[in-house]
Every structure is written in C-alpha cells, then in structure tokens.
Amino acid sequence: MAGDRRIGETILRLDDICLSFGGVNALSNISIDVKEHEILAIIGPNGAGKSSLLNVINGVYHPSSGSVTYKGQTRNQMRPHDAATQGIARTFQNIALFKGMSVLNNIMTGRTLKMKAGFFWQCLHLGKARNEEIEHRKKVEEIIDFLQIQSIRKTPVGRLPYGLQKRVELGRALAAEPEILLLDEPMAGMNIEEKEDMSRFILDVNDEFGTTIVLIEHDMGVVMDLSDRVVVLDYGKKIGDGTPDEVRNNQEVIDAYLGVAH
Amino acid sequence: MFYRETGQFKTSYQADQAIFPIRQDRIFILIWLLIGFAVIPLVASEYAFRAILIPVTIMGLAALGLNILVGYCGQVSLGTGAFMAVGAYAAYNFMIRVPELNPLFCFVLGGLTATGVGILFGIPSLRIKGFYLAVATLALQFFTDWAFSRIGWFTNYTPSGSIAVQPVEVFGFAFNTPLRKYFLCLTILSIFALVAKNIVRGRIGRAWMATRDMDVAAEIIGIRPMYAKLSAFAVSSFFIGIAGALWAYIYLGSWEPLAFDINVSFSVLFMVIIGGLGSIVGGLMGAAFITLLPLMLNQLPSAMGFEISTALIKHLEIMIFGALIIFFLAVEPLGFARLWQIAKEKLRLWPFPH
Ligand SMILES: Nc1ncnc2c1ncn2[C@@H]1O[C@H](COP(=O)(O)OP(=O)(O)OP(=O)(O)O)[C@@H](O)[C@H]1O
Ligand SMILES: [Mg+2]
C-alpha cells in the first residue's frame, strides 16, 4: 500500500440507494462514502448487487430512490454520458471492448471527450484535426507503455487473450484521465502472474495520478493487499464497511461468506 | 518480400498516422490512381466506359456511402435506392427550378437533400436495431418508389413520369463523351474516398465503430450513440445522394422511378458485403465485382464456344451472388478487402512460406 498518499474528503456519496428488478431487490438502502484518492473494494457473494452498485454510480441503472452526490452535486440519476464528462470511468465484468477495433483505437476512444476538432477538419484530416490526433496519440502511447502492451497496439482486440483484453479495457478507462475509476472484477479469470501485474497497475494509477478507485474483487488476498477500505454487500444490503482488518473480523461478514442461513 | 514494413521505422506518431503508413501501400495507391486517370483513358473502349467504368465508379461511391452506415456504424439499411432517388430527383428539381445554379452544385444540393432525409429516417435507429431497422429503411424505399412515380411535382409533371436530361455542362464544358463522364465520376469518387478515409480514421470514425461494436460501452466513455448513428446516416446519405444524382445524370441520362427501386438497394448492399464491411477499398472492389460479373457471365461462355440461354445466365448470376454472400457473411465478413489483406501478408513473407 502506498504509505504517503493522503486520503482526502468525500468525493462521492451514495445515500439510501434502492434498486430493484421486478421482485428482486438488487440494492436496498445502500449508503456509502467514497473518499478522494482511496482504493475502496466492494466484496460480497454472487448476486449481492456489486455490479449494480457500479451501474448506479455511472448512470447505467437509475435507482428507484436515494441520491448520488458527486463533487458536491446531488442528483437522483445520472446519464452515462454525464458521468463520463465529469470524470467517472469504468471497466466491466464481462469485457466491453470494441472487438473490431485495434488496441490503439480502443484506447483512443477513451479520449473522445477531450477531442474537439470539427467535422470539416476531420474530413480533411488537416489542421486542428490532425494536430489533435497526434497530441492524443502521444497520451495514448504513454498509457500503452505504462500497461506494457506496445507489441499489440495494432492488433484487433477480438484476437487477444482474455488477460490482455482486461488490460486494454483498463487502458481505455485510463485514457479518459478519470477522477474516479470503477473496476468490475478486473482480475477475474487471471492467473497469479497476471493478477500481480494488474494489482501493480492499479496501485500505480492510484499512486501516480491520485485516481480514486472503486473495485469489485472476489480474491480476498488481492482485496486485503490493495484496498484502503472494504464495503461488504450481501443480498443487496450493506453488511460491512471498514478497513480490511475490521471487515475480516466482522462476524456478519464471516457468516455471509460461510453461508449461514438468514 | 516485396511488401513489408520492416526497415520502415516511424520516428513520429505523425508518420505512423499518415493515411498509408507503409510505403508499398502508398505506391499501390499511386499506381491505382495512375491506372485510373492515365492508363484506362488511353486504352479503354467506348463500350468499356459506358458498360463498366462509369457504373463502377458511381456505384463505388454509393457502396462507399453505404459502407459508412453498415460497415462502420453497424446500422443495416435497405434504403440505398431511396437515398439515390432522393439525390437524383432533388438535383433535377434544383436544376430545372433554379437554372442559374451550377449543375455540380445541384448535385451537392441533391446530396444534402438526401442527408436531410437520411437523418430523418435515421431516427428509428435510435430505438431499433438489426432486422427491425432494415424493415424501417425498406419502408422508406417503398415510400420513395411511390412518391416519385405518383407525385407529379417531383418529375415536373412529365406525362410519362420519366425524366430525360441534357449532358451536364459546367462553365461551358460539356460532359458529353464517355471519357469526360468517366473523368468526372472518377474525380468525384477519388475525392469522396479520401474524405471517407479521413473521417473513419479520426474521432468520428472511432465513434461509429464503437457504437457498432458495443453501444453501451461507447456511451460510458462519452460517445453519444445518438450523434454517432445520426452522423453516420447523414454522411452515408450524402454520399449515396450524390451517387444517385450522378447515376441519373451521367450514367442513365433518362430514367424513371424504377431506376432506383429495391434491386438497387440490394445490389449496393451486396457490393458492401462481398467487398468488405468496414473497408473503403472493399466497397470499391465489391462495386467492380458486382458490375463485372454479369458482363463476364454474358461474354465468357460465347467466347469459349458455349451457347447458354440468357435466362440461365441470369440464374447463374443470382446463384453466384447468393453463394458468395453466404460465404462472406458466414466465413469472412471482411470480404474481398480481407482476402486482399491476407494476400499482402503472404506477399510480405514471399518467397518464404512462413
Ligand atoms: N439488468 C438486470 N435485470 C434483471 N436483474 C438484474 C439485472 N442486473 C442485475 N440483476 C439482479 O440483481 C441482483 C444483483 O446483481 P449484480 O450483478 O449486481 O450482482 P453482483 O454482486 O455483481 O454478482 P456477481 O458477483 O455474480 O457479479 C441479482 O439478483 C441479479 O440477478
Ligand atoms: Mg457483478
């Protein structure tokens, strides 16, 4: 864990969020504060509502009640596009890359909101459009170097193995230079070595750019190593919130994981 | 090892982002331009211009336009004939109603009118996908078939409903010979191909492809699928509208609404599928292939001494198209363009097999 990184004020607050699908209460009365610069892990058994929570944060799902306060602005729903504009980026549990595009182009899409050249200049690929393309390409190359995927930059992502795709998806999210990065099981299905790489990337991002990270992860070892704080969900309810050690010793959490009847 | 990128290290991203980063590709393009603008005009016969070269260049433009929509943005359309018709009839009406206008400018206005209609009929794409969208564009096709044959105003109340036009004249220069017509079409095609290539390698093109591949993810990184889809409809319809105006004025000279019916929509779609979805050269190869195949089927058997009935030729043509389309959709959705790329990769290693 990075020792001298200062955790700041609350940057994102969820208040009393409820979300249901038909009869299923995916989230019931969830309140969470996310602090600036921290790494917050969300854990819980399958179907606990972890992915739904991320979807509420970046506006894919709209909660039936409750509010989201981000950087002082409160709203009860947000559109994915607005979330992106305000610096919230994410990756998905089932990789959501653009399969037909190269690694480079996938990561370039992450810069979309920062590109301004008008249609006319793009038709000519001159002037502003060209300069902008080169300038953003530089930034994207930095990310490619950081993630050590130089050799595959022109490969269509559909042809890459799973672990690399996860890395490219992280790259695309990073390209937006987000303030909050939401990672949905970034290490699922990886071997130890790949997990170590990914953990290092996450720590480095948090360290170097101060990016706040909310991550869902099943591997307890990884969670304990990476996170400053852990929130535990079970059946849509929050049953634990604290440092990794506190959570590890919380009886309710232990019960949920050991499958004690409710 | 004629075609290779080794030894050509790009020292700047600018060089790497050039339109054709590999030198051999630049040479290929130059050769093609040379063939198109210099060799063909010297050797081609009048018949070749009329039956092959002019239709291929115009249909190549339409295929380019459709490929933007279907290949790059992933929105299926069966309304190509309709957009071509809108371009043609709009250009016609601008020309007869405002005779002072430069005809080429009227073509552009025809394209812009098609753009407007394209945006309007692109709106359903915001809610529906795939098959349902195809049906919606089909409705447009039937609507324009009906409108241009029934609403007299569009055809300036010509009794037969068909329109005949004079050769296009620009600043006193008449495009009245096959060679001149061909030059006009090829120039327009080259310009539009360059513009298309520029758009698809920039921000807008990436937004189209992202929307095609996964619209939810696109939205999450800040691409608005609505803008992406509507802009694809707009640009695509503009290209197709211009192609329609050229088809009417340059290729046909006189036409009736049937000239832009559903068969046109299908053949342009076939060009895109066979040539390669999401590839600029692919669309052009598809246009050449689909125009040439019927001609070859017509000539080849008699040249080889067979006698085949015209009905059989027609059936053969349909069967070959059908087989190719199934092949490309099922096995190689990237079409001829992909086969070309594989050939280049082989060439890169030649003469070594691996
Ligand atoms: N779009 C949806 N439509 C219907 N039900 C949904 C939808 N999304 C989630 N759910 C339901 O909400 C509940 C929580 O799902 P969610 O995906 O948030 O769980 P999770 O904690 O991410 O689980 P996992 O560890 O398996 O990824 C589940 O019962 C799920 O079936
Ligand atoms: Mg999940």
Side-chain angles (χ1 to χ4, degrees):
Chain A
M1 232 197 300
D4 55 348
R5 183 167 37 83
R6 281 204 314 279
I7 291 177
E9 298 296 300
T10 299
I11 180 170
L12 173 75
R13 162 173 291 147
L14 304 178
D15 261 319
D16 243 3
I17 298 283
C18 296
L19 174 76
S20 54
F21 298 100
V24 183
N25 287 329
L27 297 170
S28 1
N29 305 92
I30 301 286
S31 300
I32 297 175
D33 283 354
V34 182
K35 307 241 170 1
E36 220 173 343
H37 310 311
E38 80 175 333
I39 298 184
L40 171 68
I42 299 176
I43 62 171
N46 289 104
K50 305 178 297 293
S51 298
S52 303
L53 190 69
L54 292 198
N55 281 328
V56 166
I57 295 177
N58 80 329
V60 179
Y61 292 163
H62 302 308
S64 52
S65 67
S67 63
V68 180
T69 307
Y70 178 60
K71 292 203 273 186
Q73 270 191 353
T74 303
R75 57 178 81 70
N76 49 21
Q77 52 173 262
M78 165 120 88
R79 309 229 8 161
H81 186 270
D82 301 324
T85 322
Q86 296 183 22
I88 303 179
R90 77 172 286 184
T91 66
F92 291 81
Q93 185 168 352
N94 314 308
I95 300 170
L97 285 169
F98 308 125
K99 293 266 184 311
M101 298 165 72
S102 66
V103 168
L104 184 64
N105 268 338
N106 264 277
I107 302 181
M108 281 294 275
T109 56
R111 309 283 304 167
T112 301
L113 282 172
K114 302 186 187 304
M115 300 183 82
K116 298 274 143 36
F119 180 72
F120 175 75
W121 290 111
Q122 294 204 44
C123 288
L124 302 179
H125 204 266
L126 287 176
K128 215 177 150 196
R130 184 147 168 260
N131 298 340
E132 191 178 70
E133 196 78 6
I134 292 165
E135 171 198 328
H136 289 285
R137 171 78 187 269
K138 277 193 194 124
K139 188 71 206 175
V140 165
E141 288 291 339
E142 280 171 34
I143 291 167
I144 287 177
D145 287 345
F146 171 70
L147 296 174
Q148 296 161 358
I149 46 179
Q150 295 91 336
S151 58
I152 52 165
R153 55 159 85 72
K154 298 273 170 85
T155 313
V157 292
R159 290 199 217 154
L160 296 176
Y162 185 81
L164 279 180
Q165 291 199 11
K166 284 255 169 199
R167 220 184 261 197
V168 176
E169 202 187 10
L170 175 64
R172 184 181 68 189
L174 289 177
E177 299 179 61
E179 284 182 54
I180 294 197
L181 187 55
L182 312 173
L183 306 173
D184 198 342
E185 305 198 12
M187 288 166 248
M190 288 186 168
N191 62 30
I192 297 281
E193 222 166 295
E194 289 173 321
K195 278 188 187 180
E196 279 172 358
D197 281 342
M198 189 53 99
S199 303
R200 193 162 39 79
F201 294 139
I202 293 172
L203 283 175
D204 283 352
V205 167
N206 178 255
D207 236 10
E208 284 178 34
F209 313 116
T211 312
T212 309
I213 291 171
V214 179
L215 110 143
I216 297 176
E217 185 47 56
H218 280 296
D219 184 325
M220 278 307 145
V222 170
V223 169
M224 296 300 154
D225 282 354
L226 285 184
S227 47
D228 299 304
R229 200 151 61 86
V230 181
V231 165
V232 192
L233 298 185
D234 188 28
Y235 287 103
K237 296 198 183 62
K238 185 167 108 170
I239 59 167
D241 185 343
T243 63
D245 281 329
E246 284 165 14
V247 166
R248 193 169 18 202
N249 300 319
N250 178 330
Q251 191 56 43
E252 216 180 333
V253 175
I254 296 170
D255 290 349
Y257 267 89
L258 296 178
V260 172
H262 288 253
Chain B
M1 297 214 273
F2 289 132
Y3 176 83
R4 50 187 273 174
E5 54 202 345
T6 30
Q8 295 181 33
F9 298 107
K10 286 108 197 170
T11 46
S12 70
Y13 298 132
Q14 184 166 343
D16 194 36
Q17 302 208 142
I19 186 159
F20 300 110
I22 299 177
R23 190 188 316 126
Q24 281 80 349
D25 274 337
R26 287 197 289 275
I27 295 172
F28 267 128
I29 287 295
L30 282 180
I31 292 176
W32 274 112
L33 286 176
L34 203 71
I35 292 176
F37 281 99
V39 179
I40 285 178
L42 288 176
V43 300
S45 67
E46 192 128 316
Y47 169 80
F49 281 122
R50 219 173 265 151
I52 301 171
L53 294 160
I54 295 174
V56 166
T57 43
I58 300 175
M59 279 303 172
L61 181 59
L64 206 60
L66 186 63
N67 214 344
I68 285 174
L69 189 62
V70 183
Y72 285 95
C73 199
Q75 310 298 306
V76 186
S77 164
L78 288 175
T80 312
F83 293 121
M84 287 179 76
V86 170
Y89 283 95
Y92 171 72
N93 278 286
F94 279 112
M95 253 181 252
I96 55 165
R97 285 166 215 284
V98 197
E100 316 65 81
L101 287 180
N102 181 317
L104 293 184
F105 185 62
C106 289
F107 290 173
V108 173
L109 290 176
L112 287 175
T113 313
T115 306
V117 176
I119 292 174
L120 203 64
F121 276 81
I123 291 174
S125 74
L126 306 180
R127 314 230 58 184
I128 55 179
K129 288 182 181 162
F131 176 71
Y132 298 97
L133 180 61
V135 172
T137 56
L138 200 58
L140 171 68
Q141 179 68 54
F142 291 134
F143 176 73
T144 54
D145 283 356
W146 173 82
F148 292 128
S149 54
R150 298 285 166 203
I151 303 178
W153 187 84
F154 289 125
T155 52
N156 204 20
Y157 301 101
T158 45
S160 65
S162 70
I163 291 173
V165 294
Q166 295 300 310
V168 173
E169 205 179 299
V170 182
F171 302 122
F173 183 86
F175 290 95
N176 54 5
T177 68
L179 181 65
R180 289 177 178 185
K181 289 179 179 178
Y182 165 74
F183 265 124
L184 178 69
C185 295
L186 185 65
T187 309
I188 293 177
L189 174 67
S190 307
I191 294 171
F192 277 82
L194 179 67
V195 167
K197 182 84 192 169
N198 282 341
I199 299 177
V200 300
R201 68 198 171 117
R203 169 172 59 88
I204 297 176
R206 285 191 296 267
W208 289 342
M209 293 185 275
T211 307
R212 170 196 69 191
D213 286 350
M214 190 164 281
D215 49 1
V216 182
E219 198 166 352
I220 275 155
I221 55 174
I223 291 168
R224 288 177 192 271
M226 181 177 87
Y227 289 152
K229 288 178 186 174
L230 290 185
S231 64
F233 265 97
V235 174
S236 158
S237 316
F238 184 70
F239 279 44
I240 296 173
I242 301 253
L246 289 174
W247 191 250
Y249 271 83
I250 308 294
Y251 177 64
L252 296 174
S254 71
W255 74 93
E256 43 194 64
L258 270 183
F260 298 104
D261 68 359
I262 182 79
N263 290 318
V264 177
S265 299
F266 276 121
S267 58
V268 180
L269 189 61
F270 293 167
M271 290 172 192
V272 172
I273 292 173
I274 291 180
L277 287 164
S279 153
I280 304 273
V281 278
L284 304 182
M285 290 197 270
F289 180 79
I290 297 235
T291 313
L292 279 172
L293 185 71
L295 295 175
M296 299 214 305
L297 283 179
N298 263 321
Q299 319 253 304
L300 215 58
S302 55
M304 296 193 321
F306 295 106
E307 234 13 274
I308 299 189
S309 72
T310 33
L312 182 59
I313 289 179
K314 197 74 207 157
H315 289 152
L316 268 180
E317 187 187 320
I318 294 172
M319 277 156 53
I320 294 179
F321 282 158
L324 279 173
I325 284 163
I326 292 172
F327 170 77
F328 280 121
L329 282 182
V331 183
E332 189 50 88
L334 301 176
F336 280 158
R338 174 74 189 140
L339 299 182
W340 168 239
Q341 203 182 340
I342 292 172
K344 283 200 298 190
E345 274 162 23
K346 291 253 148 63
L347 208 57
R348 184 181 302 191
L349 298 172
W350 192 85
F352 311 108
H354 295 293

